Amino acid sequence: MKAATLGTMPIPSRIAELHADMIAWRHRIHAHPELAFEERRTADFVAARLADFGVSVHRGLAGTGIVGTLRCGSSARSIALRADLDALPIHEKTGVAHASARAGIMHACGHDGHTAMLLGAARCLSESRSFDGTVHFVFQPAEENECGGQAMVEAGLFDLFPAAAVYGMHNWPGVAVGAFALRAGPIMAADDKFEITLASRGAHAAMPHLGDDPIVAAGALIGAVQTVASRIVDPQEAVVVSITQLAAGNTWNVIPEEVVLRGTCRYFAPGLRPVLESALRRIVAGVASAYGVRADFAYRKPIPPAVNAEAPTVAAARAAALVVGEANVLRDLPPSLGCEDFAFMLAQRPGCYVWIGNGPIADGRSLHSARYDFNDDVLPLGASYWCALVESVLAGPRTPAS
Ligand SMILES: [Zn+2]
Ligand SMILES: [Zn+2]
């Protein structure tokens, strides 16, 4: 780490001192994971730490969401930094000492680490007060599946805390510890979850001519939806349409009355949603008509692509380079067709979402694996990045430490 001179003590030195604290915070959060919108204990812990650091705390935004605010100097400039609080419904198999104490729930996406890093930065910045402006530390609930980021935006996140830009960070297994990866433009994909219901009169399995068969219709539909990516969208656009759930029937000799199919569309270009949606509707209606069944089509909690703006990406890259050196800031990693509900914040404010290297993927221990664990070596790098970003974006006359 480059020893920048920040506050009364170089930030990297202070962050190094805080490493043991950040490990302890992360292990505590990891041992007591909570699912989307149930992060009460985690939120209590975060709010108590922020208050200890002298950061003003706003609780209950979108249920368990928290925003800590730290002001310094006289500038009206402001930024928001975001971490996520929730865990996943996975039974942990890491065997580590700090493993989940709750059966069937674990921090398998590293949100424990994200929270610990942002707490470390909040503490360091509250001590150094080496910026001029306002920093909002956003701890969002329910990143996994339940769109807690969207809920915070809809609850008035940027009205109550009017940040000019918003930044996010996620650990990325497969990228080395000591490296960051980022890019301007889309970095993660849209996730347009859809549900199709095919309904019919059903029939005896031996007398299908006396009813209608939604299973045969579903079979035709599964193949037909692949033409959305292969024949409707420009082949130079990345698009995936996946049917991921199929529910129908409960015995051998009855043609059921209903088939439910669920799936997801993934893509990067924000303008593709209406194109894909209308194509899917048309195909569903056409196949249903051809097979004589009724069809219903609905989107569920669609998430837009996460799109990084140019200027914040330059600022993020500069901050990352201050921490790990220019050579370790990767700009050519392809975007991911995974999704991220930080996209809702990026849709409201210019910003940048970066990946911080979590080290090699060993034995399949990647995100959402029962054997994944956030890498504690990453904690000081992430906290230093947050501090460097704040001091770069909100650079100003040095304010004496309090
Ligand atoms: Zn995840
Ligand atoms: Zn995650």
Side-chain angles (χ1 to χ4, degrees):
M1 263 181 276
K2 182 173 175 177
T5 52
L6 309 167
T8 53
M9 179 180 223
I11 286 280
S13 303
R14 183 64 183 125
I15 290 285
E17 283 186 358
L18 292 176
H19 193 178
D21 283 347
M22 286 191 282
I23 291 173
W25 300 336
R26 184 184 86 77
H27 289 189
R28 179 175 169 148
I29 294 167
H30 189 97
H32 303 285
E34 295 170 299
L35 295 175
F37 290 122
E38 296 175 0
E39 308 94 336
R40 285 177 283 277
R41 180 173 177 159
T42 310
D44 286 346
F45 180 77
V46 168
R49 296 289 75 71
L50 290 173
D52 286 348
F53 308 155
V55 173
S56 79
V57 180
H58 180 106
R59 297 195 62 175
L61 195 66
T64 42
I66 296 173
V67 181
T69 297
L70 189 61
R71 290 191 174 81
C72 190
S74 56
S75 170
R77 295 171 303 170
S78 59
I79 64 171
L81 315 178
R82 170 272 201 174
D84 34 19
L85 299 168
D86 57 320
L88 282 156
I90 296 173
H91 189 79
E92 181 159 354
K93 295 179 183 169
T94 60
V96 296
H98 56 273
S100 171
R102 301 188 67 196
I105 304 179
M106 75 171 284
H107 273 289
C109 204
H111 299 183
D112 49 344
H114 304 164
T115 297
M117 291 190 291
L118 193 53
L119 283 175
R123 177 158 176 186
C124 201
L125 289 166
S126 72
E127 293 173 357
S128 70
R129 306 187 69 77
S130 48
F131 60 95
D132 188 13
T134 301
V135 184
H136 301 294
F137 302 95
V138 178
F139 295 85
Q140 77 151 81
E143 192 283 325
E144 304 283 1
N145 292 317
E146 299 302 328
C147 294
Q150 180 183 27
M152 282 190 108
V153 168
E154 291 176 354
L157 173 64
F158 293 120
D159 301 321
L160 294 165
F161 307 98
V166 64
Y167 294 82
M169 173 163 56
H170 204 293
N171 76 98
W172 208 246
V175 170
V177 174
F180 287 80
L182 76 175
R183 58 168 49 238
I187 187 164
M188 297 196 77
D191 172 21
D192 289 357
K193 295 173 277 294
F194 59 82
E195 181 173 299
I196 301 163
T197 304
L198 299 176
S200 79
R201 292 173 294 173
H204 191 296
M207 293 170 256
H209 59 295
L210 299 179
D212 316 294
D213 190 343
I215 287 186
V216 173
L221 186 58
I222 290 166
V225 298
Q226 292 309 317
T227 63
V228 173
S230 68
R231 287 297 175 269
I232 292 169
V233 177
D234 182 337
Q236 299 207 51
E237 292 283 356
V239 173
V240 175
V241 179
S242 293
I243 300 283
T244 56
Q245 296 180 56
L246 196 55
N250 55 15
T251 189
W252 284 272
N253 58 356
V254 177
I255 293 171
E257 293 189 358
E258 188 176 279
V259 177
V260 176
L261 305 94
R262 296 196 183 100
T264 176
C265 299
R266 302 296 178 101
Y267 55 89
F268 295 118
L272 277 180
R273 176 175 290 167
V275 175
L276 301 180
E277 182 174 0
S278 72
L280 282 169
R281 280 190 191 285
R282 189 175 73 242
I283 291 168
V284 168
V287 169
S289 171
Y291 287 82
V293 299
R294 299 183 305 282
D296 182 63
F297 176 88
Y299 267 6
R300 306 269 185 239
K301 296 180 182 153
I303 298 173
V307 182
N308 286 339
E310 290 284 346
T313 303
V314 170
R318 192 188 311 128
L322 275 173
V323 177
V324 296
E326 187 62 40
N328 293 310
V329 180
L330 315 177
R331 299 158 194 271
D332 54 356
L333 221 61
S336 167
L337 281 154
C339 68
E340 165 61 79
D341 90 335
F342 183 64
F344 288 103
M345 297 185 193
L346 286 175
Q348 296 292 315
R349 289 291 186 280
C352 183
Y353 177 82
V354 303
W355 290 321
I356 183 168
N358 197 59
I361 299 172
D363 303 324
R365 292 175 196 173
S366 192
L367 301 175
H368 297 199
S369 159
R371 291 174 297 127
Y372 164 88
D373 193 23
F374 185 91
N375 188 334
D376 283 324
D377 293 344
V378 174
L379 293 167
L381 299 169
S384 295
Y385 163 77
W386 284 134
C387 292
L389 181 69
V390 168
E391 302 201 331
S392 157
V393 174
L394 302 181
R398 179 89 38 89
T399 308
S402 57

